[in-house]
Amino acid sequence: MTLLETLRQFSFFAFVPDEHLRWLLDRAQEERYPANHVLNNPGEPVDYLTLILEGVIVIDTGHPGHDDDLITYGPYSVMGVLPFSRMKEMNNRVIVEEPAYVVRMHRDHFREMTQTCYELTEALVQQMTSRVREITRQTQLEDKMASLGRLSAGLAHELNNPVAAVARSAETLRDYRCVAPDVFKALMRLNLNDTQVDAISDLFHQKINQTDRKPLSMMERSSLEDDLLDWLDEHGMNDDESGASMDIVGPLTEYGFTVDELDTLLEQIGEENLPGAMRWLVDNLMTERLVNDIGQASERIATLVTSIKNYTHMDRSSGRDSFQLADGIHSTLTLLGHKLKSKHIQLTVDMPNDLPTVCGRQGELNQVWTNLIDNAIDAMADGGTLTISSEVERHSDGEEFLLTKITDNGSGIPESIRDKLFEPFFTTKEIGKGTGLGLDIVRGIVKQHNGSIKFESKPGRTEFCVCLPTN
């Protein structure tokens, strides 16, 4: 098979005249590469249109692993620079996976080709647009999966504490259930009338329903514990006789019991009833505390589940809806909370409750907030400051917009890359750690919502402003 006949095996050359293909072959060179030959390293210029006749060439991250390959090119595919492409250099490594036989043409011939070989140019430009669509689709998917991975890790981290609290409290409740028969026996031996029973019950409910109890300082707590422990020892509730004074003093301190309240209770129930009554009182206080702990942990779990549901917008249609912008931002902050905590970021959110709604796809806009907030966190050192605010802005033509600002005190965006910040595939992250589509996606989503995005940056202050029309 001649080389011209081989080129005819490329599907996109089906309607290209032979003279155009001969023109290409006259200006191209044939090359053979062994397996593992590196055609381009990251940062090196890309100057050749490459038609693969045999073998397999891949673009990878440069890191070993079975998920290393980003794009694979087999026989009868085209790679490298194409007519009207703005590609100047490779962001990733290009390596031969299986011995390859290729035809390459330098980009210096592109101008002549566009002037003299219309059909050939058209076929290659169509390949460029198809490649852009495919790479964009693939990298968008990778970017979304990376975002999902970050949020999943954050969600797992946030869920760990309340889940552990529920398990710990349930285990403690099980232990208390084991000692319940002994408490019941002690209770049955008490000689209490209705008034005395009411005295114990009233004190118990007074303490568990107290809402204005102030938290004790470490010194105040230590002093109260000493006073209660002395009181218990004075009335025979010491470790030698009951083994209970240290177990009892903790719950009594936590619920703010005082020596005066215990004196009053003692007068009402009598010295002989004190050990059994105190054990019943403390066991019920502990049960109340454990139930409250389980309730608070469950509420935290419910909050996280609601946040991820709101973030992904699972309970809405795929169309446009009216919604409060603050809801999505708060959900995003909840899911990124672990990153804020790990870097001790001081967060300030100023979004008034009376802000107007916006119309759009909340799930897509949540991706905007995720990218901008996540980038801001990454840009800040430990102990940084992040400020998020929204306000109504009215333009001269009478239109009303919601202006949301995300401001960090990080290192700032270097002047040399500011013009490239919204370009597709541009990234400042290490190879394999970013697709470079974050801000390109952000700008596209904002544009689809008839809004605009801009930024200002200097060392110590970077501010992104997202302006969206209200309903």
Side-chain angles (χ1 to χ4, degrees):
M1 184 183 297
T2 65
L3 203 51
L4 178 62
E5 291 172 334
T6 302
L7 291 187
R8 283 290 174 204
Q9 303 302 310
F10 288 78
S11 59
F12 49 88
F13 285 155
F15 301 103
V16 177
D18 286 351
E19 57 268 26
H20 290 184
L21 296 180
R22 291 192 186 95
W23 180 93
L24 185 153
L25 291 174
D26 288 343
R27 289 155 181 80
Q29 58 194 57
E30 301 174 53
E31 300 284 355
R32 291 187 180 273
Y33 301 111
N36 300 320
H37 176 77
V38 177
L39 293 177
N40 280 95
N41 283 305
E44 292 181 349
V46 180
D47 292 324
Y48 286 90
L49 161 71
T50 302
L51 298 169
I52 303 174
L53 308 181
E54 298 174 5
V56 176
I57 299 176
V58 300
I59 298 177
D60 64 17
T61 64
H63 300 290
H66 65 280
D67 292 328
D68 185 38
D69 296 350
L70 298 176
I71 305 174
T72 300
Y73 296 96
Y76 308 119
S77 57
V78 60
M79 61 178 298
V81 68
L82 291 165
F84 304 111
S85 170
R86 292 185 296 175
M87 178 188 291
K88 300 296 183 183
E89 60 184 38
M90 286 298 301
N91 293 325
N92 299 95
R93 186 178 68 166
V94 182
I95 186 171
V96 178
E97 188 170 88
E98 297 179 8
Y101 173 36
V102 305
V103 170
R104 300 201 308 163
M105 185 178 73
H106 197 275
R107 67 192 311 155
D108 288 347
H109 301 291
F110 284 173
R111 180 179 295 274
E112 180 186 356
M113 180 176 67
T114 58
Q115 295 172 347
T116 60
C117 303
Y118 175 81
E119 288 86 351
L120 176 60
T121 304
E122 181 184 34
L124 293 174
V125 168
Q126 286 178 352
Q127 286 303 297
M128 181 183 68
T129 56
S130 298
R131 183 170 71 182
V132 168
R133 283 194 300 267
E134 177 60 24
I135 293 177
T136 300
R137 184 198 64 78
Q138 180 178 344
T139 47
Q140 282 179 339
L141 177 60
E142 290 172 357
D143 192 73
K144 290 179 179 179
M145 292 302 293
S147 296
L148 181 60
R150 290 194 298 270
L151 293 178
S152 297
L155 184 62
H157 182 89
E158 292 291 330
L159 282 171
N160 183 63
N161 288 336
V163 168
V166 170
R168 184 171 57 250
S169 298
E171 183 65 25
T172 307
L173 273 175
R174 187 178 296 109
D175 294 339
Y176 269 88
R177 187 185 63 181
C178 293
V179 301
D182 294 335
V183 176
F184 180 71
K185 290 176 183 178
L187 186 63
M188 294 302 293
R189 288 195 293 267
L190 298 182
N191 184 21
L192 298 174
N193 57 39
D194 290 347
T195 301
Q196 292 172 318
V197 171
D198 288 342
I200 301 173
S201 178
D202 289 346
L203 181 59
F204 170 74
H205 286 96
Q206 173 192 334
K207 288 300 181 181
I208 65 172
N209 294 323
Q210 186 176 350
T211 57
D212 58 348
R213 185 169 62 249
K214 296 180 180 179
L216 299 176
S217 67
M218 186 177 297
M219 184 173 296
E220 290 172 334
R221 182 181 180 89
S222 178
S223 177
L224 181 57
E225 284 179 346
D226 290 341
D227 292 342
L228 291 173
L229 192 58
D230 290 342
W231 189 94
L232 291 171
D233 288 341
E234 289 174 6
H235 294 86
M237 299 287 294
N238 55 48
D239 288 336
D240 293 336
E241 294 183 8
S242 65
S245 61
M246 291 303 296
D247 291 337
I248 290 175
V249 75
L252 292 180
T253 303
E254 184 175 347
Y255 280 90
F257 280 79
T258 65
V259 170
D260 291 340
E261 289 171 331
L262 295 183
D263 284 335
T264 302
L265 179 64
L266 180 61
E267 293 176 1
Q268 293 171 317
I269 66 174
E271 190 85 32
E272 70 279 5
N273 293 317
L274 183 62
M278 290 300 294
R279 173 52 67 186
W280 178 89
L281 185 64
V282 168
D283 280 3
N284 279 275
L285 289 173
M286 285 297 297
T287 300
E288 180 70 19
R289 193 199 75 182
L290 292 170
V291 170
N292 286 337
D293 289 347
I294 291 174
Q296 292 173 3
S298 300
E299 288 179 6
R300 178 58 179 165
I301 293 171
T303 299
L304 290 168
V305 171
T306 300
S307 295
I308 195 68
K309 182 178 179 182
N310 290 339
Y311 180 85
T312 56
H313 216 45
M314 291 186 298
D315 57 345
R316 292 289 188 91
S317 67
S318 59
R320 291 176 178 262
D321 297 297
S322 295
F323 56 89
Q324 289 287 345
L325 211 61
D327 294 341
I329 291 179
H330 285 302
S331 294
T332 302
L333 289 171
T334 298
L335 298 176
L336 291 175
H338 69 292
K339 293 194 69 173
L340 293 166
K341 293 175 185 175
S342 66
K343 297 187 72 170
H344 307 95
I345 302 299
Q346 181 180 347
L347 174 66
T348 302
V349 180
D350 181 16
M351 303 188 74
N353 294 327
D354 58 352
L355 290 173
T357 60
V358 298
C359 184
R361 296 182 176 89
Q362 188 171 0
E364 291 183 0
L365 286 174
N366 285 344
Q367 198 170 353
V368 171
W369 314 131
T370 300
N371 275 296
L372 295 180
I373 295 173
D374 196 41
N375 287 346
I377 295 173
D378 288 342
M380 287 184 285
D382 191 80
T385 301
L386 176 64
T387 303
I388 302 174
S389 64
S390 288
E391 62 185 32
V392 177
E393 184 179 82
R394 291 177 177 85
H395 292 187
S396 57
D397 57 5
E399 285 194 73
E400 188 178 78
F401 291 82
L402 202 57
L403 180 63
T404 301
K405 300 177 181 179
I406 298 176
T407 309
D408 68 75
N409 67 340
S411 56
I413 302 171
E415 186 75 33
S416 59
I417 68 171
R418 293 182 187 179
D419 292 340
K420 303 178 181 179
L421 209 58
F422 291 103
E423 288 184 4
F425 315 118
F426 176 76
T427 179
T428 59
K429 297 181 180 180
E430 295 179 14
I431 298 170
K433 292 189 176 181
T435 62
L437 279 180
L439 291 178
D440 181 52
I441 289 176
V442 165
R443 183 175 62 175
I445 292 173
V446 171
K447 187 176 181 180
Q448 289 172 8
H449 286 78
N450 300 315
S452 62
I453 180 171
K454 60 182 181 180
F455 71 92
E456 294 180 355
S457 182
K458 61 181 181 180
R461 178 182 171 83
T462 297
E463 183 175 83
F464 278 84
C465 300
V466 178
C467 194
L468 297 167
T470 67
N471 285 340

